[in-house]
Structure formats: structure tokens, C-alpha cells
């Protein structure tokens, strides 16, 4: 009578819930692991990043920060009863917002044109840049002219 042969190596129950790489040194994500780097850090790296889209969103964030500072500066000027300085503050922040918006539009368009890259951040930055540039044009150029025309009647 022969005894049944037992399989060589670890039992299947000893590795439940663990991923076994196909060969020694292989990483579950397929990306090489650097010395001292955890497997989660490797899994978080993206080979498909869109740096232009990220820059465009950062510029959009700078636009929001600039508009917040602009509102605070306008409140300070109005509170100090120096209404002559209000025009200077408005023009200065209109120029800053316009430059940031143009930068967000250009870099966002570059991010959208990148082939094989994610487009979400680039689209957000491009949209924020277009909306800001539109509002600067309307409220810094067209609105004061419209007020003068209406008040002439």
C-alpha cells in the first residue's frame, strides 16, 4: 500500500488573502519598488499624469486667492474713505487676474491637447481661466462704459 504524496511547498491556506508575485522580485502593481519604498507608494505613482493640467488648476486656485485679496483690499479702501484709491486697486487686481487667467487658459489647453493623459484637471483649469477672463473683461471694461452711457440719459 502506498501513502498519498503530499504537495511540496506551502499549503494554499497559508497564503489566503495575499498576492503572490509571479516571480521573485516582482511587484503586484508591475512597477519596480525602490529601496525603502512601501508597496502603497509604488501603487500610488501614476505613469499617466498631466502636469500641465495640474499647473492650470494651481493657477485657477491663485485666481481665487487673488479675488479674495481683492475683495479685502476693496473693503479696506472703502472703510478708509479713500475712494480715489478704489480705482487703482480694481485695475491692479484686474491685471493680476487677467494674467493668471491667460496662463490658466494656455496651460489648460496644452493639458487638454496632451495625448493619452487625463484631461480632468486641465479642463477645470481651462474653464476657470475662461470664466475669470470673461468676468474681468465684462466688469472692468464693459460695465463702467455701460454705467456712463446709462447715467448720461
Amino acid at each position: 500500500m502506498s501513502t498519498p504524496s503530499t504537495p511540496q511547498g506551502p499549503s494554499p491556506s497559508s497564503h489566503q488573502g495575499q498576492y503572490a508575485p509571479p516571480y521573485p522580485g516582482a511587484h503586484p502593481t508591475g512597477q519596480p519598488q525602490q529601496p525603502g519604498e512601501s508597496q502603497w507608494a509604488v501603487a500610488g505613482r501614476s505613469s499617466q499624469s498631466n502636469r500641465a493640467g495640474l499647473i492650470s488648476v494651481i493657477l485657477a486656485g491663485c485666481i481665487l486667492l487673488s479675488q479674495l485679496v481683492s475683495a479685502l483690499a476693496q473693503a479696506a479702501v472703502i472703510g478708509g474713505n479713500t475712494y480715489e484709491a478704489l480705482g487703482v486697486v480694481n485695475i491692479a487686481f484686474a491685471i493680476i487676474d487677467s494674467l493668471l487667467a491667460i496662463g490658466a487658459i494656455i496651460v489648460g489647453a496644452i493639458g487638454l491637447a496632451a495625448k493619452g493623459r487625463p484631461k480632468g484637471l486641465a479642463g477645470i483649469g481651462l474653464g476657470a481661466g475662461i470664466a475669470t477672463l470673461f468676468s474681468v473683461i465684462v466688469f472692468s471694461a464693459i460695465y463702467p462704459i455701460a454705467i456712463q452711457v446709462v447715467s448720461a440719459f
Side-chain angles (χ1 to χ4, degrees), residues 16-78:
Q16 286 182 353
Q18 296 180 357
Y19 174 81
Y23 55 89
H27 194 269
T29 62
Q31 296 180 352
Q33 185 172 353
Q34 303 298 323
E37 186 176 43
S38 72
Q39 72 179 16
W40 303 110
V42 173
R45 276 191 299 190
S46 175
S47 62
Q48 296 275 336
S49 65
N50 191 342
R51 193 166 292 190
L54 179 62
I55 293 170
S56 180
V57 167
I58 290 171
L59 287 172
C62 291
I63 291 169
L64 290 175
L65 184 63
S66 169
Q67 290 177 347
L68 175 67
V69 173
S70 171
L72 294 174
Q74 290 175 9
V77 167
I78 291 171

